[in-house]
Amino acid sequence: MNRPHWALLKIFGGMAILAVLLWHLGSGAFVAGVRRVDAATLSAALALGLLTTVGSAWRWCLVARGLGLRLPLGRAVADYYRALFLNAALPGGVLGDVHRAVGHGRTEGDIGRGVRAVVLERVAGQVALLAVGGAVLFVAPSPAGARLRGLFTAAGAAPVAASVCAAAGLTAVLLHRRRGGSRSRRGPAALLSEARRGLLAPGVWPGVMLSSLVVLAGYLAMFLLAARVAGATAPPAVLLPLVVLSLLAMAVPLNVGGWGPREGVAAWSFGAAGLGAAQGLTAAVVYGVLAFAASLPGAVVLLVRGVAGLRSVVPQVEREERVRAECGAPQRRP
């Protein structure tokens, strides 16, 4: 399947999931998810978003430096915010990561390594989510967790498999984004060597592990906040397995800017735990709104850099016109 068809399948898949939820649960849960968000909740989301973005950017810096690329933390934070905003605003959920990978690679003169740094950084985050999520779902004692373990006896590997497939899909998208960008194929040994340097080197893996745990804690806290805003009064021990399942579902590539599987799994898991499918859907909608709000600094980054780019272009055009005038050449018509 070529990329345009796959992109359409992802978009229509996410829209189909949302349509089914709307048909079964009505629009009330969606509307409530938007109406219940207030200024205090948005402020908390922005603070949690700052924590997770700085942690993710730090992880990216560690991986990039392990591969021999320069990446200051300040620039990494700004680029990561921009990528999060593009991921949330555009269909597919990975175009922002593609943009930061290619942009960093161009700046460093090695697009391939820039792309692989982003791939490894994202894989590290997925591994942390799978490890912690597996422990929460199948080890941590909780009434909801026990019921979910029983329900997932036959299909318990589905979220994990979906996350692995999503990570592999992101890898394929990023590595093959530029079809003729590399004239030679890198062997598996070379890729494994870069993975060891980017993730498992002695000076890299402790920071990667710590940053991944901090980022995951921020995501879990934001989803728990969303559940409280949605009206869930169950203890955190009961909500945590449901939140983990919803976060795992976000790795399923059939989504529209992250929307679709997250809402479907949240509705199912909250219903299975006896909290009500509508409350689970509302919690997922609130989380989607908060996540988008937390990415809005990325829009500011886009605007500031766009204005700076225009300011750098205008003097260059004026200098060219002045040189043409001094040399007697005809001036460019507007």
Side-chain angles (χ1 to χ4, degrees):
M1 181 182 296
N2 56 33
R3 274 183 288 181
H5 290 167
W6 172 239
L8 289 176
L9 177 61
K10 291 172 63 176
I11 294 172
F12 285 115
M15 292 176 63
I17 295 173
L18 295 175
V20 171
L21 291 172
L22 185 63
W23 180 41
H24 280 283
L25 299 176
S27 62
F30 289 93
V31 175
V34 176
R35 285 182 174 176
R36 294 188 180 186
V37 176
D38 55 16
T41 305
L42 288 176
S43 299
L46 286 170
L48 290 171
L50 178 62
L51 172 68
T52 57
T53 304
V54 172
S56 299
W58 177 37
R59 181 174 63 199
W60 183 24
C61 287
L62 293 171
V63 174
R65 292 168 187 170
L67 297 182
L69 299 173
R70 295 173 300 171
L71 184 60
L73 181 60
R75 179 194 164 184
V77 171
D79 286 355
Y80 218 104
Y81 260 123
R82 180 185 59 190
L84 289 173
F85 175 73
L86 293 176
N87 283 345
L90 299 176
V94 297
L95 294 179
D97 291 316
V98 173
H99 189 264
R100 70 180 169 100
V102 174
H104 180 224
R106 283 177 176 166
T107 301
E108 293 300 303
D110 192 334
I111 293 179
R113 273 196 297 172
V115 167
R116 291 188 290 276
V118 170
V119 170
L120 292 175
E121 182 267 322
R122 288 297 300 268
V123 168
Q126 290 297 320
V127 169
L129 174 59
L130 292 175
V132 175
V136 170
L137 289 174
F138 300 107
V139 176
S142 72
R147 185 170 182 181
L148 288 171
R149 284 193 293 271
L151 291 172
F152 272 80
T153 300
V160 176
S163 298
V164 172
C165 290
L170 174 64
T171 303
V173 169
L174 291 174
L175 290 179
H176 296 285
R177 182 71 177 176
R178 292 170 59 89
R179 291 182 175 178
S182 175
R183 296 183 179 180
S184 61
R185 294 183 179 274
R186 300 176 59 85
L191 293 175
L192 288 175
S193 175
E194 283 198 334
R196 285 194 296 268
R197 287 190 289 117
L199 293 178
L200 303 177
V204 174
W205 73 262
V208 169
M209 182 174 66
L210 177 60
S211 60
S212 297
L213 292 176
V214 170
V215 171
L216 180 56
Y219 289 150
L220 292 173
M222 188 175 293
F223 218 124
L224 288 172
L225 172 64
R228 290 292 186 231
V229 173
T233 57
V238 175
L239 293 174
L240 193 58
L242 316 180
V243 167
V244 166
L245 273 174
S246 301
L247 289 176
L248 285 170
M250 291 178 64
V252 177
L254 299 176
N255 63 76
V256 183
W259 295 76
R262 175 185 63 213
E263 286 69 31
V265 170
W268 178 86
S269 60
F270 272 68
L275 302 179
Q279 188 172 84
L281 177 56
T282 301
V285 171
V286 172
Y287 179 86
V289 173
L290 297 183
F292 182 76
S295 74
L296 287 179
V300 178
V301 173
L302 277 173
L303 179 61
V304 170
R305 289 184 174 177
V307 172
L310 288 175
R311 288 179 176 176
S312 65
V313 168
V314 171
Q316 178 66 25
V317 173
E318 291 177 348
R319 283 194 297 269
E320 291 177 358
E321 296 291 350
R322 192 161 51 247
V323 169
R324 287 191 180 91
E326 292 174 354
C327 295
Q331 294 188 0
R332 182 189 305 169
R333 292 181 180 275

